[in-house]
Amino acid sequence: MHNLRFDTTLFTFTVPDAQITSISFRTDGPSVLVAATDAGRVTVWDLEGKKLIAVMKDVHQGPVVAARFLPEQPVMITSGTDNAIKMWIFDHADQKPRLLRERSGHSLPPRRIRYYGDGTKAGNVILSAGSDRSLRIFSTVQEQQSRELSQGHLKKSA
């Protein structure tokens, strides 16, 4: 961790035998950093205590492409080369995450995943766009509200 304002290194975390593919900071309270790797692991670090909280192995079947915390929520979303999106919740006192939901369906890896929400039950969705020319809308409230928008048929006629 590097303080850009003062150009000083505060501390260093090491993830052995893997390359970091994504990092994210928790914004709803506890100072937590997660680092996703190409080895399919996610490491969880306590920034205040400067210590390792957990190593989540085999998060995806292959490299973890992205890991992001939802704004002001104890929820992290990961995506991997297995074309799955997983939601993890940090609701235990020890700050170790547990799997909340898993969504899959893209035939190629998702390239962009974004959370969209206005705080109401009807407005909380996850949007994912993939190289398979599809846009998926996953409701965080009810699975029945999830949708897929696709241009797959246009690729065949092109």
Side-chain angles (χ1 to χ4, degrees):
M1 296 297 299
H2 194 80
N3 184 327
L4 295 175
R5 179 176 289 162
F6 299 109
D7 193 28
T8 57
T9 300
L10 303 174
F11 46 88
T12 303
F13 293 123
T14 303
V15 179
D17 304 325
Q19 292 183 355
I20 295 175
T21 56
S22 179
I23 64 168
S24 185
F25 296 90
R26 188 169 167 182
T27 60
D28 70 318
S31 298
V32 173
L33 164 74
V34 295
T37 70
D38 63 351
R41 295 187 306 265
V42 172
T43 55
V44 183
W45 300 91
D46 174 2
L47 295 176
E48 289 179 10
K50 300 178 186 175
K51 64 180 180 177
L52 180 67
I53 296 174
V55 177
M56 303 164 56
K57 296 181 179 180
D58 301 321
V59 172
H60 288 273
Q61 297 174 4
V64 180
V65 177
R68 297 282 184 272
F69 276 103
L70 298 182
E72 301 301 321
Q73 294 187 38
V75 177
M76 173 183 67
I77 298 176
T78 61
S79 66
T81 57
D82 59 356
N83 305 328
I85 299 170
K86 297 183 180 184
M87 294 177 69
W88 305 87
I89 188 162
F90 290 72
D91 59 353
H92 295 310
D94 63 2
Q95 297 303 317
K96 292 184 180 178
R98 67 176 174 86
L99 185 62
L100 181 63
R101 281 192 190 103
E102 180 178 1
R103 305 280 166 67
S104 60
H106 284 284
S107 60
L108 294 172
R111 294 290 181 205
R112 295 276 188 253
I113 299 172
R114 296 292 183 262
Y115 172 77
Y116 175 77
D118 61 6
T120 65
K121 288 185 177 182
N124 296 326
V125 296
I126 299 167
L127 304 172
S128 69
S131 299
D132 58 357
R133 301 172 58 96
S134 69
L135 172 68
R136 291 185 174 269
I137 303 167
F138 298 105
S139 171
T140 61
V141 179
Q142 283 189 309
E143 181 63 34
Q144 296 83 357
Q145 295 176 348
S146 298
R147 303 279 185 264
E148 177 190 356
L149 306 171
S150 175
Q151 290 184 331
H153 67 283
L154 295 177
K155 189 175 180 181
K156 292 177 184 178
S157 64

